[in-house]
């Protein structure tokens, strides 16, 4: 069965860094668009970043551009999200997701097919 497993969350001070991982079981990540989403208490889920299947084109929400970086390691079947210069407003549960689609660039929409269990990121002084 398909399973996405996130790890790497934790508690950090403002300005700190974290590296989130998403490892897939039951599917080959390079054949899917992979997205990172987050949800804070009382807020709707929002798209943060995604990477396109095959060619690796990336996309970011404006609030994280220059601070977050998405990457893929095909040998490990893992996608990473590097979080730098963290702010309190980045606090949320972060989810990775996979989407089967026609060959086009990924988008930060909520219509992905498979979802992980989430990992908590807390930014506080």
């Amino acid at each position: 069965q398909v399973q996405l497993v996130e790890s790497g969350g934790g508690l950090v001070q403002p300005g700190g860094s974290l590296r989130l991982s998403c490892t897939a079981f039951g599917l080959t990540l390079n054949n899917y668009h992979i997205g990172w989403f987050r949800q804070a208490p009382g807020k709707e889920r929002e798209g943060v970043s995604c990477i396109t299947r095959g060619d690796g084109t990336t996309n970011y929400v404006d609030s994280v551009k220059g601070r977050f970086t998405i990457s893929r390691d095909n040998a490990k079947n893992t996608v990473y999200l590097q979080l730098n210069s963290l702010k309190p407003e980045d606090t949320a549960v972060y989810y990775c997701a996979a989407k089967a689609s026609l060959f086009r660039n990924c988008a930060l929409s909520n219509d992905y097919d498979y979802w992980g269990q989430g990992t908590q990121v807390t930014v506080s002084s």
Side-chain angles (χ1 to χ4, degrees):
Q1 188 174 358
V2 172
Q3 186 176 14
L4 303 177
V5 180
E6 302 102 329
S7 62
L11 173 64
V12 297
Q13 294 184 343
S17 298
L18 287 172
R19 187 193 191 211
L20 308 183
S21 299
C22 174
T23 300
F25 302 88
L27 63 82
T28 299
L29 278 182
N30 192 43
N31 295 332
Y32 292 78
H33 294 343
I34 305 298
W36 283 97
F37 299 79
R38 65 187 181 186
Q39 188 167 26
K43 303 293 185 180
E44 294 185 354
R45 185 174 60 205
E46 66 171 345
V48 177
S49 182
C50 65
I51 185 166
T52 295
R53 65 177 181 177
D55 69 14
T57 300
T58 59
N59 195 10
Y60 299 90
V61 67
D62 286 343
S63 62
V64 309
K65 288 181 179 178
R67 299 190 298 122
F68 293 5
T69 303
I70 190 170
S71 62
R72 183 177 64 215
D73 186 335
N74 291 330
K76 296 182 178 180
N77 212 33
T78 297
V79 169
Y80 304 97
L81 186 67
Q82 179 69 42
L83 316 177
N84 294 331
S85 302
L86 283 163
K87 305 174 181 179
E89 52 263 44
D90 295 318
T91 295
V93 177
Y94 283 70
Y95 301 88
C96 69
K99 180 179 182 178
S101 67
L102 298 176
F103 192 76
R104 59 189 179 187
N105 290 344
C106 71
L108 297 174
S109 58
N110 287 307
D111 60 341
Y112 280 62
D113 301 307
Y114 304 103
W115 295 82
Q117 84 289 347
T119 185
Q120 177 72 49
V121 172
T122 302
V123 185
S124 177
S125 60

